Structure formats: C-alpha cells, structure tokens
Amino acid sequence: MKRLTILSTTALLSISLVGGAFAAGMKPEQQIETRQAGYKFMAWNMHKIKANLSGNFKQQQVQKAADAIAGIANSGMGALYGPGTDKAVNGVETRVKPELFTNKKEAGKVARDFIDAANNLAEVAAMGDEAEVKQAFGALGESCKACHKQFRQDD
Ligand code: HEC
C-alpha cells in the first residue's frame, strides 16, 4: 500500500508539471465541472462514513465509501487544473484561488497529504475497526480543510 501511495504521488506531480496534458481535449469549463463533480462525490461519501460513525457502524458500507474516495484521490485531479481554469469561463464559475496555480510547492504538499489520508482511510476501513476508522476519517477531513483554507474561496 505504501508503494501505491508513492506511485500515485509521483503521478500527481508529473501531471501538475506537464500542466494538464492528461485533460487533453477537455475544454476549461469541462475541467472545472469535472473537478467540482469529483469533490461533490467525495463529500457524499464522507457523509455516508460520518453517518456510520454516529451509531450504526456497517463495515462494508464504510469500506465502499472509503474506496470511492481513494479512487478519486488517486485519479490525478491535478490534471483538471489546466490553463484557463483559474477563473469563470463560458458561464461556469469556479472558487479556486489563483494561489493554487502559483504556489505549486504548497499545492503539491496539501494534495499529497490528502492522497495519503485517503489511502490510509481505505486501508483502515478494510480492517474494520471503528475507532481506527474514526481517527482516519478525522485526519482525511482535516486534509480536505487544509487545502480549502489555502486554495478555495469562501462560500
Ligand atoms: C488540493 C486541494 C483540495 C483538496 C485536497 C480537497 N479540495 Fe475540495 N475543493 C478544492 C477547490 C480548489 C475547490 C473549488 C473548485 C472549483 O470551484 O473549481 C473545491 C471544492 C469543493 C467542493 C464544492 C464543489 C462544487 O460543487 O463546486 C466540495 C463539496 C469539496 N471541495 C469537498 C472536498 C472534500 C470532501 C475533500 C476531501 C475528501 C476535498 N474537497 C479535498 C480544493 C481541494
């Protein structure tokens, strides 16, 4: 699993270096919509895990939700921050801050922390200990917030 984390981190870094080549053929507005959909889908799965941690813990449901989040985390979302996606385009709004495109070092760091936390939650969920899931879930939530604080505009 450690190896997988290293591989996905390398993939994310190379994607951010080539600046969106993996989103080739996608218009800027489609990249924005796709990254927003990814975040929304993760948030839905976070809610499912949270519900399981408030009384009725169903390991399989938690594992599926954690796997879905890890799948998105490992998908190389950096490719959806291509040129022209730093502001609203063709009627599609975005809340990304310009710093995400200029402070690549910090953006890479928070992205790596997030991917590690998502992979850790998936591993822990597969083992099924509720207390450990709770801890890993909390850590993942913190990693989402760490990026939002720096790189997403307030509502
Ligand atoms: C590397 C930075 C980063 C990480 C990590 C991150 N987000 Fe975000 N998130 C953003 C940015 C930037 C936006 C704004 C995207 C846009 O509007 O183009 C966003 C937007 C969102 C949105 C609003 C989507 C919409 O419909 O517009 C939700 C919900 C969200 N994130 C949830 C999460 C959750 C849950 C996690 C963790 C499991 C997470 N995010 C991790 C940067 C991040």
Side-chain angles (χ1 to χ4, degrees):
M1 221 42 188
K2 182 100 192 140
R3 201 171 96 88
L4 192 100
T5 308
I6 291 164
L7 279 176
S8 55
T9 302
T10 315
L12 183 99
L13 281 178
S14 51
I15 283 163
S16 56
L17 287 177
V18 296
F22 284 80
M26 264 176 120
K27 293 184 182 136
E29 58 268 36
Q30 291 173 321
Q31 294 178 41
I32 294 173
E33 284 172 344
T34 305
R35 71 196 185 204
Q36 290 171 344
Y39 292 128
K40 249 189 241 174
F41 192 72
M42 284 197 291
W44 176 55
N45 283 286
M46 291 292 276
H47 286 301
K48 284 193 271 183
I49 297 172
K50 196 173 177 190
N52 270 276
L53 289 170
S54 9
N56 184 13
F57 188 78
K58 293 189 283 303
Q59 189 269 337
Q60 283 208 341
Q61 198 177 90
V62 171
Q63 187 176 348
K64 282 177 189 165
D67 285 346
I69 294 167
I72 291 183
N74 290 308
S75 72
M77 284 187 86
L80 300 171
Y81 289 89
T85 68
D86 55 331
K87 50 184 173 305
V89 51
N90 287 329
V92 176
E93 303 283 334
T94 176
R95 283 160 67 198
V96 72
K97 282 190 186 170
E99 286 80 4
L100 190 137
F101 298 87
T102 52
N103 192 351
K104 291 212 159 128
K105 199 170 161 213
E106 184 61 22
K109 187 193 172 301
V110 291
R112 276 193 304 278
D113 288 349
F114 156 68
I115 293 167
D116 288 347
N119 285 329
N120 182 51
L121 177 61
E123 278 178 52
V124 166
M127 292 184 297
D129 182 87
E130 184 173 348
E132 280 186 33
V133 167
K134 194 169 191 165
Q135 200 180 18
F137 174 77
L140 177 59
E142 287 307 312
S143 78
C144 308
K145 276 188 211 147
C147 186
H148 292 160
K149 215 173 140 214
Q150 293 194 79
F151 298 115
R152 188 180 75 173
Q153 286 160 24
D154 294 338
D155 294 293

